[in-house]
Structure formats: C-alpha cells, structure tokens
Amino acid sequence: MEKGLQLTQGTSEPTEAPYRELLGSLMYVMMATRPDICFSVGYLGRYQQHPDSSHWTALKRVVRYLKGTMQTSLRFIRDEKTDPLVGFADADWATDQQDRKSVSGYVFQVFGNVISWSSKKQQTVATSSSEAEYVALGAGVTEAVWLAGLLDDLGIPTALPVTIYEDNRGCIGMARNLESKRAKHIDIKHHFIRDHVAAGNINLEPIGTENQLADIFTKSLDVGRFQRLRQILGLQDREGVKK
C-alpha cells in the first residue's frame, strides 16, 4: 500500500468490479502464507459495503504486489536457540482520520517461525498512544495464552513466562499496574493483562520501534522498512531457498 494512504467511504458510483470476491481471495492468501499483506487486506476490507473506483485501484495494487512476489512465502526452519514462543504487540494511534480509531497488531513466533498474526481496527477511540498500545497488548496476551495452551497440548512445553515485546513504556507501566490513574477509564476487560503479568505467565519487554515486528500489521510503511520487516518475519523467495 501507498504509505499514509487515507481512503474514505465511497461517495461516487459504486464500482461494478468484483471487489468483495477479490478481497476474499486475498484474505485466503494472507491467512495461509502472506502475513505481509495482512494490514492492507484489513484496511481495504473496511470499504467493501460501498467500494468505488479508488478502493478498487488500491485493491489492484495489492494484487500487483503479489504478482511481483509470487515466489515469496513463509519459510519454516526450527531454531532450537530461540524461545518456544515469543510475541510482538503494537498499535498505530488514531490512524483513521474519519473516526480516529487505532489499529492493533500482533505477531507470534514459535522457535523463530511466524505462526500467528493479526491486524484489527480497535472498537473504541483511544485517548492516548499508551491506551491504544494497551488495547493491542490485550489482544496479544489473549493469543499468547491460547498458543501456550495449544503447544502444551501438542507436547511442546512452553517455558513461562511468554515474552511479548512492546515499544511503548507507558503501556508496559499500565500493565504492571504502575500507572493506574491513567488507566481508570479503560474498559475493565483489558485489565486481565495485569493478572497474567502478576501471575508470571507473561513477561513484557521494551523494544525499539525500529525492531518492532508488529509495526507491519498496524500501518502502511515505506518500501525500505516494509522489506526489512518482511524479511525478518521469515518471508523469503522459494527459488532462493532451493539454491
């Protein structure tokens, strides 16, 4: 996607192009092996009720990108030196200029391989970047607990606590109950994070924004940063692997 792209709800005549059908096809590809288009698919999915030519053009751009990277897909190589389960959680605060709702994103790795990812618009308006990050972290903690249980059922013990990397220290402070006054207005359902941190199930670690893998799931990025994060996620050219 074009960096900083801001579309609006369709105001012109709706396009007759098969917008929903193509979006559904891209969603299948995204869920199977192309997490790099996760944000784009989620963003363009907001306009499927009344898509016009501008939305169709943006959707075709995603297809053009996939056509140019058809040999790119996730590569799985078990790395015994890494932790069994590691996550990254991030948010882009007040991105949507129409309703100012933020976008949550997370990604999890098992033995160094990406196996779970998400990009989702938040349901409420966050009043600060820390609050937006806190809501995103809540979604990440929920996924971490579920994945830890799944791995345990598969006979792969997960060493607790599960580490989740977060690039907002204010969010980490709220999760550790160090900034309770700022969090009083946040929906109570998000505060289960504190229970898991206190119980030793989740370990929150700060990370620099430049190394935040979940950033690719919260916004459209410039080409250089997008390609760097895509490579770190494990998306590689299959022809290169064969060599």
Side-chain angles (χ1 to χ4, degrees):
M1 283 179 60
E2 175 187 348
K3 182 180 179 180
L5 178 66
Q6 285 289 337
L7 297 173
T8 58
Q9 294 295 340
T11 55
S12 60
E13 289 296 321
T15 179
E16 297 182 359
Y19 187 89
R20 292 184 180 180
E21 290 80 357
L22 179 56
L23 185 67
S25 298
L26 292 177
M27 185 176 295
Y28 174 79
V29 175
M30 177 272 293
M31 294 180 66
T33 187
R34 293 301 296 265
D36 49 332
I37 66 170
C38 184
F39 172 76
S40 301
V41 171
Y43 181 80
L44 295 172
R46 304 175 193 174
Y47 305 100
Q48 57 183 311
Q49 294 298 325
H50 190 88
D52 59 24
S53 57
S54 65
H55 306 118
W56 179 244
T57 298
L59 194 62
K60 288 193 297 182
R61 178 173 178 145
V62 181
V63 177
R64 186 165 65 249
Y65 165 69
L66 287 177
K67 182 176 176 60
T69 57
M70 290 181 63
Q71 296 301 317
T72 302
S73 61
L74 283 175
R75 181 185 183 188
F76 295 100
I77 299 177
R78 179 164 174 156
D79 185 357
E80 296 288 355
K81 297 179 181 179
T82 63
D83 292 334
L85 181 61
V86 174
F88 298 79
D90 193 25
D92 195 27
W93 180 43
T95 305
D96 197 316
Q97 295 182 0
Q98 298 179 70
D99 58 17
R100 290 302 179 184
K101 291 181 179 179
S102 307
V103 176
S104 298
Y106 66 70
V107 58
F108 283 88
Q109 297 174 323
V110 172
F111 293 111
N113 300 285
V114 171
I115 53 90
S116 177
W117 54 87
S118 173
S119 176
K120 186 177 181 181
K121 189 176 182 179
Q122 296 181 4
Q123 296 182 352
T124 58
V125 177
T127 59
S128 67
S129 59
S130 294
E131 180 181 341
E133 297 275 358
Y134 193 69
V135 174
L137 180 60
V141 170
T142 300
E143 184 72 0
V145 172
W146 183 82
L147 287 173
L150 176 62
L151 291 175
D152 187 63
D153 290 342
L154 294 174
I156 306 174
T158 303
L160 295 177
V162 176
T163 297
I164 298 180
Y165 291 97
E166 169 61 53
D167 62 4
N168 187 291
R169 293 185 180 274
C171 167
I172 295 176
M174 283 192 286
R176 292 173 177 169
N177 205 23
L178 300 178
E179 301 183 24
S180 58
K181 292 182 180 180
R182 295 176 56 186
K184 285 184 177 180
H185 66 285
I186 299 178
D187 194 323
I188 192 67
K189 68 180 180 181
H190 299 299
H191 289 309
F192 78 98
I193 298 172
R194 296 174 175 175
D195 292 337
H196 285 289
V197 171
N201 298 326
I202 299 294
N203 174 44
L204 300 179
E205 289 290 341
I207 190 173
T209 302
E210 66 278 3
N211 295 318
Q212 175 56 273
L213 296 188
D215 198 31
I216 199 173
F217 300 103
T218 63
K219 63 175 78 69
S220 54
L221 305 170
D222 61 79
V223 175
R225 178 161 173 74
F226 179 84
Q227 291 179 341
R228 177 176 176 271
L229 292 179
R230 182 182 67 184
Q231 183 178 15
I232 297 175
L233 285 173
L235 284 155
Q236 299 183 19
D237 193 317
R238 291 197 298 272
E239 292 182 347
V241 173
K242 291 179 181 179
K243 293 178 183 179

